[in-house]
């Protein structure tokens, strides 16, 4: 019997990353019974949701800061590790609210998986602002601008010292067929000495396609393609707590567009 393909989804949510990994592996000829999913999250609700979408997976309600990878993956290896470290304490969407080094420490805990297991490949996702990860001023709870990116580069160097070859890019979901222009930091790492490969974009902005007869790209999908117009929404004007002026201006700009 051939060994199974082992995939870990750390800080898993509803299961989008797991679904993507399974689809990719099936397209490569692997069957469901040849793939083993290992999923970890400290929040029981996340695990319950993921369990409903992927009942075949091994689920663990554990904090990534304290979990011991070699205990929940006794096989001792992973063909693919996927992780989405907490992004809220890096994102500009926080509006400058205070944070701390501890609240931004999730990426360091992923290193434990690289030291306790034989990991072949890894994909790590976050907001693009993650590349500016650095120390936080204890007095103000805000990042120290003069040391911007210090922790990020130390983290990348640690991965390299463990034998990994990391590459990262800012990817736009719309360029790959999703009906959203959400941009994300994507890091790929290989520990087997082979090159990292990136998928070619399949879609482009319509104004970039017009006049290009040879691109072969499709236009970005509009959000209306995935909206169920039969579901009635709630008014943004009758909230107990009014929306912020900047949020309202973005809504207005979207409506005009």
């Amino acid at each position: 019997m051939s060994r199974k393909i082992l995939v870990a989804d750390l800080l898993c949510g509803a299961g989008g990353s797991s679904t993507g990994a399974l689809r990719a592996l099936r397209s490569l000829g692997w069957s469901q019974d040849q793939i083993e999913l290992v999923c970890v999250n400290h929040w029981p609700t996340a695990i319950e949701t993921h369990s409903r979408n992927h009942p075949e997976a091994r689920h663990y309600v554990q904090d990534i800061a304290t979990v011991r990878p070699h205990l929940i993956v006794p096989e001792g290896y992973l063909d693919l590790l996927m992780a989405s470290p907490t992004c809220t304490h890096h994102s500009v969407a926080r509006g400058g609210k205070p944070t701390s080094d501890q609240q931004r420490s999730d990426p360091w805990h992923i290193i434990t998986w690289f030291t306790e297991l034989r990991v072949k490949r890894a994909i790590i996702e976050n907001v693009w602002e993650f590349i500016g990860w650095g120390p936080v001023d204890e007095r103000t709870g805000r990042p120290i601008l003069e040391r911007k990116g210090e922790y990020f580069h130390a983290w990348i160097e640690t991965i390299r010292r463990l034998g990994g070859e990391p590459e990262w890019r800012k990817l736009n979901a719309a360029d790959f067929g999703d009906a959203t222009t959400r941009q994300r930091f994507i890091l790929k790492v290989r520990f087997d000495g082979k090159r990292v490969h990136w998928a070619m974009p399949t879609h482009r902005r319509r104004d970039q396609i017009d006049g290009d007869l040879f691109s072969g790209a499709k236009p970005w999908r509009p959000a209306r393609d995935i909206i169920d117009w039969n579901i009635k929404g709630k008014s943004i004007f009758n909230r107990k707590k009014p929306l912020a002026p900047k949020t309202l201006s973005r809504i207005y700009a979207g409506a005009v567009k």
Side-chain angles (χ1 to χ4, degrees), residues 57-71:
R58 287 152 46 180
H59 292 95
Y60 299 89
V61 181
Q62 292 196 35
D63 192 329
I64 192 174
T66 58
V67 69
R68 298 307 303 268
H70 73 278
L71 296 179

Side-chain angles (χ1 to χ4, degrees), residues 10 13 52 57 102 184 213 231 239 253 255:
L10 308 185
R52 294 190 180 193
Q102 182 177 1
R184 281 294 183 267
L213 301 178
I231 300 176
R239 293 165 51 96

Side-chain angles (χ1 to χ4, degrees), residues 113-135:
W113 291 73
F114 298 151
T115 59
E116 290 196 9
L117 301 173
R118 300 187 307 278
V119 179
K120 196 170 185 179
R121 309 170 187 83
I123 301 176
I124 298 172
E125 173 268 343
N126 213 298
V127 293
W128 183 247
E129 293 86 359
F130 176 58
I131 66 171
W133 176 30

